[in-house]
């Protein structure tokens, strides 16, 4: 029997949960509040249907005003549908408070005014508004309930309250019924508040457990700092990163383990992040102690973000920082820097070698070109044989070509330095081809 009841309750809860607006389904607390509101209003409408036979048995044939009051008792169903369709929780509570106040005021006006047995139900108006968790809605609910009571009292004084129906039971029993029904209704709201509170606690507990697991298993050390840079919280990753327990790093404990030369950069990063409200990244060295007690300094990178917490949060406004070991990355950067310096040194040596080689080649080339030009011009007498004159001309042209090659080698160093200037000039390609052909033919005939 108990199993069947539990299954029925779970099925009923799942149905009410399906009526929650999609915008609130990802919010555990918001979904619980909407589900409780919808369930309470749907059940209130169904309760009105159940009370109708009892009311008719006490009063007999209903009047037109009785029909209006009964239909009014069904309006909570419409308010529940409004919330399910729109997701406007505050607006739904305001509509419900106004509707509930009007309904009780109208029903009390029909059954004796301020002395009606339904007056205790006015207490339920601000109680229901309290489920909204909005003080303004609660204030509006209390104000509307008070306004309804004042209207009933004023109507009684002015003689505007109609003569109530004649009930088959005594006034004391009616008063007991009104007080008991209002108490049961208020108890239902109390249970709803308790359920919402329990879901809130469960959500908070799950969130704390989730963040605790993240903090304990993250490889980066997570720290919280106050506005003066002092450490308020340290995750368990400090054991792996620094070889120190978290409690030994609180206060100025972390600062004392930062390398003396890097402490200004560490404090400046925290101060700038706290002042500007923007993320800041800083690299510094910290003292690490291994299991054998040996101390060494390792490079770490700390990424700071401003910490904004709600009022009454676990930490005051400050800085949230994540610190990771970058010793290996620093070693790789140093290795790349060393390789770059060696490459630049080799490039400079190559350039110097090309310059020296070109200079050494130019000296004999100038002599070859100069003497071949003397032979070519026959300044000291005729060479006699035509072949000798051709050879002298080829020697001169080959020397000129080799000198151009040496100059091109020098231009390579200018290209690397970014100092080479290109000059566009017209030239005779026919004479260039003829010169090359002559050199090749002369070499082939030797």
């Amino acid at each position: 029997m108990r199993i069947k009841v539990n299954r029925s309750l779970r099925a009923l809860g799942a149905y009410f949960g399906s009526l929650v607006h999609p915008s609130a389904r990802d919010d555990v607390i918001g979904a619980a509040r909407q589900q409780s509101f919808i369930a309470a209003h749907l059940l209130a409408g169904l309760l009105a249907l159940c009370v109708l036979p009892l009311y008719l048995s006490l009063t007999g044939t209903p009047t037109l005003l009785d029909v209006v009051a009964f239909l009014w008792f069904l309006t909570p169903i419409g308010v529940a549908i409004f919330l399910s369709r729109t997701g406007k929780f505050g607006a739904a509570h305001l509509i419900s408070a106004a509707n509930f106040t009007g309904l009780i005021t109208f029903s009390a006006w029909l059954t004796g005014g301020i002395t009606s047995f339904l007056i205790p139900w006015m207490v339920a108006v601000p109680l229901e508004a309290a489920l909204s968790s909005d003080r303004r809605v609660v204030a509006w609910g209390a104000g509307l309930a008070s306004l309804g009571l004042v209207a009933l009292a004023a109507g009684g004084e002015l003689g505007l309250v109609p003569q109530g129906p004649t009930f088959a039971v005594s006034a004391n029993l009616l008063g007991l019924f009104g007080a008991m029904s209002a108490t049961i209704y208020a108890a239902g709201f109390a249970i709803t508040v308790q359920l919402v509170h329990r879901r809130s606690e469960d959500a908070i507990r799950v969130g704390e457990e989730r963040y605790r697991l993240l903090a304990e298993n993250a490889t980066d050390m997570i720290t919280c700092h106050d506005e003066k840079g002092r450490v308020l919280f340290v995750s368990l990753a400090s054991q792996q990163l620094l070889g120190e327990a978290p409690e030994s790093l609180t206060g100025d404990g972390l600062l004392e383990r930062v390398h003396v030369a890097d402490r200004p950069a560490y404090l400046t990063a925290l101060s700038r992040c706290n002042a500007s409200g923007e993320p800041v990244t800083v690299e510094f060295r910290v003292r690490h102690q291994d299991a054998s007690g040996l101390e060494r300094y390792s490079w770490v990178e700390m990424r700071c973000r401003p910490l904004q917490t709600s009022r009454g949060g676990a930490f005051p406004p400050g800085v949230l920082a994540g610190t990771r070991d970058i010793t290996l990355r620093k070693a790789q950067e140093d290795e790349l820097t060393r390789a770059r310096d060696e490459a630049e040194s080799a490039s400079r040596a190559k350039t110097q070698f090309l310059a020296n080689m070109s200079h050494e080649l130019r000296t004999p080339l100038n002599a070859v070109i100069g003497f071949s030009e003397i032979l070519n011009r026959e300044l000291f007498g005729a060479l006699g044989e035509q072949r000798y004159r051709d050879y002298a001309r080829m020697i001169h042209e080959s020397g000129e070509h080799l000198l151009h090659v040496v100059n091109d080698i020098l231009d390579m160093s200018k290209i690397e330095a970014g100092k080479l200037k290109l000059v566009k000039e017209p030239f005779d390609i026919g004479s260039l081809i003829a010169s090359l052909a002559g050199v090749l033919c002369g070499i082939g005939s030797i």
Side-chain angles (χ1 to χ4, degrees):
M1 183 64 181
R2 182 180 299 177
I3 295 176
K4 291 183 179 180
V5 172
N6 290 335
R7 288 180 179 175
S8 300
L9 290 176
R10 283 197 296 268
L12 187 61
Y15 172 73
F16 289 140
S18 65
L19 298 178
V20 174
H21 193 264
S23 62
R25 289 177 183 173
D26 295 333
D27 183 3
V28 177
I29 300 176
R33 289 174 176 167
Q34 285 199 21
Q35 182 178 354
S36 301
F37 183 92
I38 293 172
H41 283 69
L42 289 179
L43 292 177
L46 295 176
L47 180 61
L49 290 175
C50 296
V51 171
L52 176 62
L54 178 61
Y55 180 81
L56 293 178
S57 65
L58 294 175
T59 61
T61 304
T63 64
L64 179 60
L65 293 178
D66 292 335
V67 174
V68 172
F70 171 72
L71 294 177
W72 204 338
F73 270 106
L74 298 179
T75 53
I77 298 177
V79 179
I81 295 174
F82 168 79
L83 176 59
S84 179
R85 293 291 185 268
T86 64
K88 298 179 179 180
F89 194 55
H93 264 286
L94 285 175
I95 295 173
S96 177
N99 180 70
F100 198 18
T101 302
L103 176 61
I104 297 173
T105 303
F106 179 71
S107 300
W109 179 70
L110 292 179
T111 56
I114 197 66
T115 61
S116 172
F117 66 94
L118 297 176
I119 290 298
W121 279 81
M122 282 294 187
V123 180
V125 176
L127 286 179
E128 179 185 344
L131 288 176
S132 67
S133 298
D134 190 337
R135 288 178 295 180
R136 293 175 298 179
V137 176
V138 175
W140 272 102
L144 290 172
S146 300
L147 184 61
L149 292 174
V150 171
L152 289 173
E157 291 294 330
L158 298 175
L160 300 178
V161 176
Q163 184 177 0
T166 302
F167 296 98
V169 296
S170 64
N172 290 333
L173 289 178
L174 287 176
L176 178 62
F177 171 76
M180 288 294 295
S181 59
T183 302
I184 294 173
Y185 193 73
F189 275 111
I191 294 174
T192 302
V193 171
Q194 181 63 27
L195 292 175
V196 173
H197 181 67
R198 183 181 301 174
R199 290 196 179 184
S200 301
E201 289 182 342
D202 293 341
I204 293 173
R205 190 179 301 110
V206 170
E208 289 178 349
E209 181 67 16
R210 183 185 298 116
Y211 290 121
R212 184 185 66 81
L213 290 175
L214 289 175
E216 291 180 356
N217 294 282
T219 56
D220 293 357
M221 182 180 70
I222 300 173
T223 55
C224 292
H225 305 255
D226 61 11
E227 295 179 347
K228 296 182 179 180
R230 292 173 299 191
V231 178
L232 303 177
F233 166 81
V234 184
S235 66
L236 292 178
S238 62
Q239 293 278 10
Q240 180 180 356
L241 185 66
L242 302 178
E244 298 285 352
E247 56 270 13
S248 64
L249 300 177
T250 56
D252 293 329
L254 180 58
L255 175 63
E256 294 174 356
R257 287 162 178 78
V258 178
H259 195 282
V260 175
D262 297 335
R263 290 181 183 178
Y266 166 80
L267 294 174
T268 300
L270 291 174
S271 177
R272 189 172 61 181
C273 178
N274 187 56
S276 64
E278 297 180 354
V280 177
T281 301
V282 63
E283 298 177 358
F284 53 88
R285 291 162 290 180
V286 292
R287 187 173 68 249
H288 177 89
Q289 184 174 0
D290 56 20
S292 61
L294 181 63
E295 294 184 351
R296 59 179 175 83
Y297 280 95
S298 58
W299 279 96
V300 297
E301 179 187 68
M302 185 174 72
R303 297 182 178 181
C304 307
R305 291 184 176 275
L307 177 62
Q308 300 293 338
T309 59
S310 59
R311 183 178 301 177
F315 300 102
V319 175
L320 178 67
T323 306
R324 64 177 56 184
D325 192 339
I326 59 169
T327 303
L328 180 60
R329 192 185 78 185
K330 276 291 185 180
Q332 293 173 347
E333 291 178 355
D334 293 341
E335 185 66 26
L336 290 175
T337 302
R338 189 180 306 108
R340 184 194 61 191
D341 293 341
E342 292 177 356
E344 290 178 352
S345 177
S347 178
R348 287 192 297 269
K350 180 194 69 176
T351 302
Q352 185 66 30
F353 169 75
L354 290 176
N356 293 335
M357 181 194 67
S358 301
H359 177 73
E360 295 298 329
L361 288 176
R362 275 184 171 187
T363 301
L365 276 177
N366 288 331
V368 171
I369 292 173
F371 287 120
S372 63
E373 188 174 359
I374 291 174
L375 293 176
N376 192 27
R377 292 183 180 182
E378 298 179 336
L379 297 178
F380 298 106
L383 294 179
E385 188 68 33
Q386 179 63 31
R387 182 177 298 178
Y388 292 149
R389 286 194 294 272
D390 293 338
Y391 287 165
R393 179 178 56 79
M394 291 180 183
I395 291 172
H396 183 267
E397 291 178 354
S398 298
E400 289 284 353
H401 176 69
L402 187 57
L403 182 61
H404 286 305
V405 172
V406 171
N407 290 333
D408 290 341
I409 293 175
L410 288 177
D411 289 339
M412 289 179 62
S413 61
K414 293 182 180 180
I415 292 174
E416 293 179 353
K419 298 181 179 180
L420 180 67
K421 294 182 179 180
L422 297 178
V423 179
K424 296 180 180 180
E425 292 182 355
F427 68 98
D428 186 1
I429 190 172
S431 61
L432 176 62
I433 294 175
S435 176
L436 292 175
V439 171
L440 294 176
C441 292
I443 293 175
S445 64
I446 294 177

mmCIF file of all heavy atoms in Angstrom, residues 21 28-29 60 72 97 109 151-152 174 191 197 204 226 228 250 311 321 333 377 400-401 409 415 437:
data_model
loop_
_atom_site.group_PDB
_atom_site.id
_atom_site.type_symbol
_atom_site.label_atom_id
_atom_site.label_comp_id
_atom_site.label_asym_id
_atom_site.label_seq_id
_atom_site.Cartn_x
_atom_site.Cartn_y
_atom_site.Cartn_z
ATOM 1 N N HIS A 21 7.447 26.206 -16.506
ATOM 2 C CA HIS A 21 7.852 26.885 -17.742
ATOM 3 C C HIS A 21 9.282 26.483 -18.122
ATOM 4 O O HIS A 21 10.140 26.334 -17.240
ATOM 5 C CB HIS A 21 7.776 28.413 -17.553
ATOM 6 C CG HIS A 21 7.878 29.164 -18.832
ATOM 7 N ND1 HIS A 21 9.071 29.683 -19.305
ATOM 8 C CD2 HIS A 21 6.929 29.488 -19.767
ATOM 9 C CE1 HIS A 21 8.853 30.299 -20.443
ATOM 10 N NE2 HIS A 21 7.580 30.201 -20.752
ATOM 11 N N VAL A 28 17.139 24.733 -10.367
ATOM 12 C CA VAL A 28 16.499 23.785 -9.440
ATOM 13 C C VAL A 28 15.549 24.506 -8.502
ATOM 14 O O VAL A 28 14.392 24.093 -8.311
ATOM 15 C CB VAL A 28 17.585 23.033 -8.644
ATOM 16 C CG1 VAL A 28 16.944 22.095 -7.621
ATOM 17 C CG2 VAL A 28 18.470 22.246 -9.591
ATOM 18 N N ILE A 29 15.994 25.612 -7.909
ATOM 19 C CA ILE A 29 15.170 26.328 -6.936
ATOM 20 C C ILE A 29 13.993 26.999 -7.628
ATOM 21 O O ILE A 29 12.854 26.946 -7.159
ATOM 22 C CB ILE A 29 16.023 27.356 -6.183
ATOM 23 C CG1 ILE A 29 17.163 26.640 -5.439
ATOM 24 C CG2 ILE A 29 15.175 28.150 -5.203
ATOM 25 C CD1 ILE A 29 18.118 27.574 -4.749
ATOM 26 N N GLY A 60 -28.628 24.925 0.478
ATOM 27 C CA GLY A 60 -29.750 24.632 -0.417
ATOM 28 C C GLY A 60 -29.474 25.160 -1.815
ATOM 29 O O GLY A 60 -28.332 25.183 -2.280
ATOM 30 N N TRP A 72 -15.521 32.017 -9.087
ATOM 31 C CA TRP A 72 -14.325 32.756 -8.677
ATOM 32 C C TRP A 72 -13.334 31.820 -7.976
ATOM 33 O O TRP A 72 -12.134 31.962 -8.094
ATOM 34 C CB TRP A 72 -14.736 33.902 -7.749
ATOM 35 C CG TRP A 72 -13.741 35.034 -7.730
ATOM 36 C CD1 TRP A 72 -12.426 35.004 -8.068
ATOM 37 C CD2 TRP A 72 -14.010 36.377 -7.361
ATOM 38 N NE1 TRP A 72 -11.841 36.231 -7.934
ATOM 39 C CE2 TRP A 72 -12.809 37.105 -7.491
ATOM 40 C CE3 TRP A 72 -15.167 37.049 -6.918
ATOM 41 C CZ2 TRP A 72 -12.699 38.454 -7.183
ATOM 42 C CZ3 TRP A 72 -15.053 38.395 -6.633
ATOM 43 C CH2 TRP A 72 -13.849 39.091 -6.757
ATOM 44 N N ALA A 97 -2.388 37.093 -5.567
ATOM 45 C CA ALA A 97 -2.705 37.816 -4.332
ATOM 46 C C ALA A 97 -3.935 38.699 -4.519
ATOM 47 O O ALA A 97 -4.833 38.741 -3.655
ATOM 48 C CB ALA A 97 -1.503 38.654 -3.898
ATOM 49 N N TRP A 109 -18.190 39.049 2.244
ATOM 50 C CA TRP A 109 -19.279 40.027 2.126
ATOM 51 C C TRP A 109 -20.624 39.307 1.993
ATOM 52 O O TRP A 109 -21.626 39.740 2.521
ATOM 53 C CB TRP A 109 -19.011 40.911 0.916
ATOM 54 C CG TRP A 109 -20.073 41.946 0.660
ATOM 55 C CD1 TRP A 109 -20.341 43.052 1.400
ATOM 56 C CD2 TRP A 109 -21.007 41.935 -0.423
ATOM 57 N NE1 TRP A 109 -21.377 43.755 0.855
ATOM 58 C CE2 TRP A 109 -21.815 43.090 -0.276
ATOM 59 C CE3 TRP A 109 -21.241 41.088 -1.498
ATOM 60 C CZ2 TRP A 109 -22.840 43.402 -1.154
ATOM 61 C CZ3 TRP A 109 -22.248 41.394 -2.388
ATOM 62 C CH2 TRP A 109 -23.039 42.552 -2.203
ATOM 63 N N ALA A 151 -12.303 47.240 3.803
ATOM 64 C CA ALA A 151 -13.527 47.383 2.991
ATOM 65 C C ALA A 151 -14.694 46.647 3.633
ATOM 66 O O ALA A 151 -15.839 47.142 3.647
ATOM 67 C CB ALA A 151 -13.255 46.839 1.584
ATOM 68 N N LEU A 152 -14.442 45.455 4.188
ATOM 69 C CA LEU A 152 -15.519 44.721 4.844
ATOM 70 C C LEU A 152 -16.007 45.449 6.103
ATOM 71 O O LEU A 152 -17.227 45.524 6.364
ATOM 72 C CB LEU A 152 -15.029 43.309 5.211
ATOM 73 C CG LEU A 152 -14.826 42.347 4.038
ATOM 74 C CD1 LEU A 152 -14.181 41.055 4.512
ATOM 75 C CD2 LEU A 152 -16.166 42.054 3.362
ATOM 76 N N LEU A 174 -19.362 27.163 12.256
ATOM 77 C CA LEU A 174 -18.879 27.830 11.028
ATOM 78 C C LEU A 174 -17.532 28.512 11.251
ATOM 79 O O LEU A 174 -16.634 28.456 10.398
ATOM 80 C CB LEU A 174 -19.913 28.860 10.570
ATOM 81 C CG LEU A 174 -21.196 28.310 9.941
ATOM 82 C CD1 LEU A 174 -22.162 29.437 9.628
ATOM 83 C CD2 LEU A 174 -20.872 27.518 8.683
ATOM 84 N N ILE A 191 4.282 23.503 4.336
ATOM 85 C CA ILE A 191 4.916 22.310 3.781
ATOM 86 C C ILE A 191 5.589 22.632 2.445
ATOM 87 O O ILE A 191 6.695 22.160 2.153
ATOM 88 C CB ILE A 191 3.861 21.194 3.616
ATOM 89 C CG1 ILE A 191 3.358 20.742 4.991
ATOM 90 C CG2 ILE A 191 4.451 20.015 2.853
ATOM 91 C CD1 ILE A 191 2.213 19.759 4.921
ATOM 92 N N HIS A 197 12.633 24.803 0.543
ATOM 93 C CA HIS A 197 13.841 24.987 1.338
ATOM 94 C C HIS A 197 14.730 23.748 1.267
ATOM 95 O O HIS A 197 15.960 23.849 1.163
ATOM 96 C CB HIS A 197 13.459 25.296 2.787
ATOM 97 C CG HIS A 197 14.639 25.530 3.678
ATOM 98 N ND1 HIS A 197 15.471 26.623 3.536
ATOM 99 C CD2 HIS A 197 15.134 24.816 4.728
ATOM 100 C CE1 HIS A 197 16.422 26.573 4.451
ATOM 101 N NE2 HIS A 197 16.244 25.477 5.184
ATOM 102 N N ILE A 204 22.304 23.441 -2.967
ATOM 103 C CA ILE A 204 23.519 24.045 -2.427
ATOM 104 C C ILE A 204 24.534 22.970 -2.066
ATOM 105 O O ILE A 204 25.735 23.103 -2.327
ATOM 106 C CB ILE A 204 23.170 24.906 -1.190
ATOM 107 C CG1 ILE A 204 22.344 26.122 -1.612
ATOM 108 C CG2 ILE A 204 24.438 25.346 -0.462
ATOM 109 C CD1 ILE A 204 21.812 26.923 -0.450
ATOM 110 N N ASP A 226 42.237 38.616 -0.707
ATOM 111 C CA ASP A 226 41.443 39.787 -0.350
ATOM 112 C C ASP A 226 41.989 41.003 -1.072
ATOM 113 O O ASP A 226 42.896 40.900 -1.911
ATOM 114 C CB ASP A 226 41.420 39.986 1.176
ATOM 115 C CG ASP A 226 42.820 40.220 1.754
ATOM 116 O OD1 ASP A 226 43.780 40.440 0.962
ATOM 117 O OD2 ASP A 226 42.968 40.190 2.989
ATOM 118 N N LYS A 228 43.905 43.255 -0.140
ATOM 119 C CA LYS A 228 45.311 43.540 0.165
ATOM 120 C C LYS A 228 46.251 42.458 -0.339
ATOM 121 O O LYS A 228 47.459 42.534 -0.099
ATOM 122 C CB LYS A 228 45.486 43.720 1.673
ATOM 123 C CG LYS A 228 44.738 44.920 2.235
ATOM 124 C CD LYS A 228 44.996 45.082 3.720
ATOM 125 C CE LYS A 228 44.254 46.304 4.272
ATOM 126 N NZ LYS A 228 44.494 46.465 5.728
ATOM 127 N N THR A 250 48.061 30.372 3.640
ATOM 128 C CA THR A 250 47.093 31.443 3.868
ATOM 129 C C THR A 250 47.789 32.665 4.460
ATOM 130 O O THR A 250 48.914 32.586 4.973
ATOM 131 C CB THR A 250 45.979 30.965 4.808
ATOM 132 O OG1 THR A 250 46.577 30.491 6.021
ATOM 133 C CG2 THR A 250 45.182 29.842 4.164
ATOM 134 N N ARG A 311 26.162 39.302 -1.579
ATOM 135 C CA ARG A 311 26.183 39.734 -0.192
ATOM 136 C C ARG A 311 26.031 38.521 0.731
ATOM 137 O O ARG A 311 25.174 37.682 0.545
ATOM 138 C CB ARG A 311 25.045 40.728 0.057
ATOM 139 C CG ARG A 311 25.032 41.292 1.467
ATOM 140 C CD ARG A 311 23.898 42.296 1.616
ATOM 141 N NE ARG A 311 24.031 43.394 0.673
ATOM 142 C CZ ARG A 311 23.130 44.374 0.568
ATOM 143 N NH1 ARG A 311 22.042 44.379 1.339
ATOM 144 N NH2 ARG A 311 23.302 45.336 -0.323
ATOM 145 N N ALA A 321 42.567 33.474 -8.229
ATOM 146 C CA ALA A 321 43.753 33.210 -9.042
ATOM 147 C C ALA A 321 43.925 31.712 -9.241
ATOM 148 O O ALA A 321 43.648 30.909 -8.348
ATOM 149 C CB ALA A 321 45.002 33.797 -8.386
ATOM 150 N N GLU A 333 61.451 27.446 -23.638
ATOM 151 C CA GLU A 333 61.666 28.795 -24.151
ATOM 152 C C GLU A 333 63.143 29.175 -24.104
ATOM 153 O O GLU A 333 63.657 29.788 -25.047
ATOM 154 C CB GLU A 333 60.836 29.790 -23.343
ATOM 155 C CG GLU A 333 59.338 29.663 -23.569
ATOM 156 C CD GLU A 333 58.549 30.629 -22.701
ATOM 157 O OE1 GLU A 333 59.187 31.312 -21.859
ATOM 158 O OE2 GLU A 333 57.304 30.701 -22.848
ATOM 159 N N ARG A 377 94.060 44.685 -75.536
ATOM 160 C CA ARG A 377 94.279 45.944 -76.260
ATOM 161 C C ARG A 377 95.658 45.996 -76.935
ATOM 162 O O ARG A 377 95.959 46.937 -77.668
ATOM 163 C CB ARG A 377 94.155 47.117 -75.284
ATOM 164 C CG ARG A 377 92.754 47.311 -74.761
ATOM 165 C CD ARG A 377 92.691 48.518 -73.864
ATOM 166 N NE ARG A 377 91.337 48.737 -73.341
ATOM 167 C CZ ARG A 377 91.002 49.762 -72.560
ATOM 168 N NH1 ARG A 377 91.946 50.667 -72.238
ATOM 169 N NH2 ARG A 377 89.778 49.874 -72.146
ATOM 170 N N GLU A 400 85.456 39.256 -65.836
ATOM 171 C CA GLU A 400 84.345 40.170 -65.556
ATOM 172 C C GLU A 400 83.136 39.409 -65.017
ATOM 173 O O GLU A 400 82.461 39.848 -64.057
ATOM 174 C CB GLU A 400 83.963 40.927 -66.835
ATOM 175 C CG GLU A 400 84.981 41.959 -67.290
ATOM 176 C CD GLU A 400 84.925 43.222 -66.455
ATOM 177 O OE1 GLU A 400 83.997 43.344 -65.606
ATOM 178 O OE2 GLU A 400 85.803 44.079 -66.599
ATOM 179 N N HIS A 401 82.858 38.223 -65.651
ATOM 180 C CA HIS A 401 81.729 37.423 -65.184
ATOM 181 C C HIS A 401 81.944 36.940 -63.746
ATOM 182 O O HIS A 401 81.023 36.994 -62.914
ATOM 183 C CB HIS A 401 81.546 36.229 -66.123
ATOM 184 C CG HIS A 401 80.473 35.288 -65.682
ATOM 185 N ND1 HIS A 401 79.137 35.611 -65.710
ATOM 186 C CD2 HIS A 401 80.550 34.015 -65.170
ATOM 187 C CE1 HIS A 401 78.435 34.604 -65.253
ATOM 188 N NE2 HIS A 401 79.269 33.617 -64.914
ATOM 189 N N ILE A 409 77.416 37.550 -54.630
ATOM 190 C CA ILE A 409 77.559 36.926 -53.304
ATOM 191 C C ILE A 409 77.491 37.992 -52.217
ATOM 192 O O ILE A 409 76.866 37.814 -51.165
ATOM 193 C CB ILE A 409 78.874 36.137 -53.233
ATOM 194 C CG1 ILE A 409 78.818 34.928 -54.178
ATOM 195 C CG2 ILE A 409 79.155 35.686 -51.802
ATOM 196 C CD1 ILE A 409 80.115 34.159 -54.268
ATOM 197 N N ILE A 415 70.850 41.321 -48.962
ATOM 198 C CA ILE A 415 69.468 40.851 -48.947
ATOM 199 C C ILE A 415 69.071 40.423 -47.539
ATOM 200 O O ILE A 415 67.989 40.739 -47.044
ATOM 201 C CB ILE A 415 69.288 39.697 -49.945
ATOM 202 C CG1 ILE A 415 69.445 40.219 -51.386
ATOM 203 C CG2 ILE A 415 67.930 39.026 -49.765
ATOM 204 C CD1 ILE A 415 69.431 39.126 -52.428
ATOM 205 N N ALA A 437 77.791 32.301 -75.203
ATOM 206 C CA ALA A 437 78.098 31.300 -76.220
ATOM 207 C C ALA A 437 79.572 31.294 -76.560
ATOM 208 O O ALA A 437 80.187 30.240 -76.739
ATOM 209 C CB ALA A 437 77.249 31.560 -77.473
#
